Amino acid sequence: MAYTTVLTEIRGRVGIVTLNRPQAMNAFNTLMLTELFDALDNFDKDENVGAMVVTGNEKAFAAGADIKEMAESSPFQMITQGRVELWDRIRGIKKPVIAAVSGWALGGGCEFAISCDMIVASESAKFGQPEITIGITPGGGGTQRLARLLGKHLAMEMILNNRTLTATEALQFGLANRVVPVEGYLDAAVALAEEIASRAPLAIRMAKDSINAAFESTLTEGLKTEKRNFYPLFSTEDQKEGMKAFIEKRKPDWKGR
């Protein structure tokens, strides 16, 4: 499918979505959000894709939401347009999604990156939530996810006082999985996604769901989710193949069923 604001490609078993509004530093407007999640949904349904990468360009992953699109909006218009609700679609993606971030990841760009399952950052990456400087707060999950990822105090400083985290700080505080040179950040993200895509597809989905439950629920509820995801895997061909391959000391041949 042809899109206007994003580019898509498949490398091996990795689906790549590139944000493509360079004239606006990849700021999210309604069209780009819609196309982004449509592309991710399509990759999620594609049996030939095992994991996904979302990236921008070297200067900007995404520099926030398109302020021009929102500046004159009323509360009623924001609600009826459902702009904020579009962000929630990331929670419906079952396969792993890795954000490959270089340059600015601000506002909505930061919110989208931290809503992904992993982040590979280039040395030039910078993460921030500058909404306070234009008289609003994050609305795409920033207050909630940053508080959970970084703790209350650092999240407060980022959101209340526009503190920006460098790539090194993002790695130090657990926001990024790894930091690599600018020229190799996308390849590093794709390589990580390819490794994940080479593993048992159903187990990957169940593991992602269980980890998200730990992030979003109590320990008791999370343990229930883990057991609910663990036991059914013993009815899959991949479980039988994986354990047989381990015993026979060979590489498993996953079928995704």
Side-chain angles (χ1 to χ4, degrees):
M1 180 179 294
Y3 296 110
T4 303
T5 61
V6 301
L7 305 174
T8 61
E9 64 173 303
I10 296 177
R11 296 188 197 174
R13 285 181 47 78
V14 179
I16 304 171
V17 183
T18 301
L19 306 178
N20 189 37
R21 293 188 73 216
Q23 73 283 2
M25 292 186 68
N26 292 332
F28 286 107
N29 60 9
T30 302
L31 177 61
M32 189 161 81
L33 278 173
T34 302
E35 291 188 338
L36 167 61
F37 284 113
D38 185 71
L40 291 176
D41 284 336
N42 287 334
F43 282 147
D44 211 23
K45 296 170 185 174
D46 189 339
E47 293 183 358
N48 296 313
V49 172
M52 289 163 267
V53 171
V54 178
T55 191
N57 56 53
E58 291 185 2
K59 293 182 178 180
F61 176 73
D66 192 327
I67 304 304
K68 293 180 181 178
E69 191 178 70
M70 296 189 299
E72 300 302 322
S73 296
S74 68
F76 178 77
Q77 289 171 325
M78 291 296 290
I79 292 170
T80 55
Q81 290 168 1
R83 285 180 55 87
V84 173
E85 282 69 26
L86 284 171
W87 297 98
D88 293 336
R89 290 180 62 184
I90 190 66
R91 300 176 67 189
I93 304 298
K94 297 179 177 63
K95 296 173 184 175
V97 181
I98 298 171
V101 178
S102 186
W104 296 105
L106 301 176
C110 181
E111 288 176 303
F112 181 82
I114 63 176
S115 71
C116 292
D117 301 304
M118 285 163 267
I119 296 176
V120 173
S122 84
E123 293 171 335
S124 71
K126 294 181 180 179
F127 300 85
Q129 300 287 164
E131 288 88 347
I132 201 73
T133 66
I134 55 172
I136 59 172
T137 68
T143 62
Q144 303 305 297
R145 289 191 173 95
L146 283 176
R148 286 166 170 77
L149 290 167
L150 301 176
K152 172 185 174 181
H153 296 150
L154 186 52
M156 285 282 189
E157 187 176 0
M158 287 185 68
I159 294 167
L160 273 61
N161 202 39
N162 191 26
R163 174 172 174 178
T164 300
L165 296 186
T166 64
T168 301
E169 289 173 323
L171 183 65
Q172 175 187 348
F173 296 127
L175 196 69
N177 292 72
R178 59 195 66 174
V179 175
V180 298
V182 174
E183 59 270 19
Y185 80 99
L186 180 55
D187 288 340
V190 172
L192 175 59
E194 190 67 64
E195 288 180 12
I196 294 168
S198 72
R199 308 191 188 282
L202 293 176
I204 287 290
R205 291 190 183 199
M206 295 296 198
K208 172 176 171 172
D209 184 63
S210 295
I211 294 168
N212 281 334
F215 188 73
E216 298 176 355
S217 63
T218 65
L219 176 60
T220 298
E221 292 169 340
L223 289 172
K224 288 179 181 178
T225 299
E226 182 181 80
K227 291 181 178 65
R228 188 167 63 244
N229 287 333
F230 173 75
Y231 291 126
L233 289 171
F234 282 80
S235 68
T236 66
E237 292 181 26
D238 279 352
Q239 175 267 325
K240 301 298 186 290
E241 166 64 11
M243 293 191 175
K244 184 178 181 181
F246 177 82
I247 293 169
E248 296 176 354
K249 295 182 169 57
R250 61 174 174 82
K251 186 178 180 179
D253 181 19
W254 306 120
K255 301 298 184 184
R257 56 182 185 266

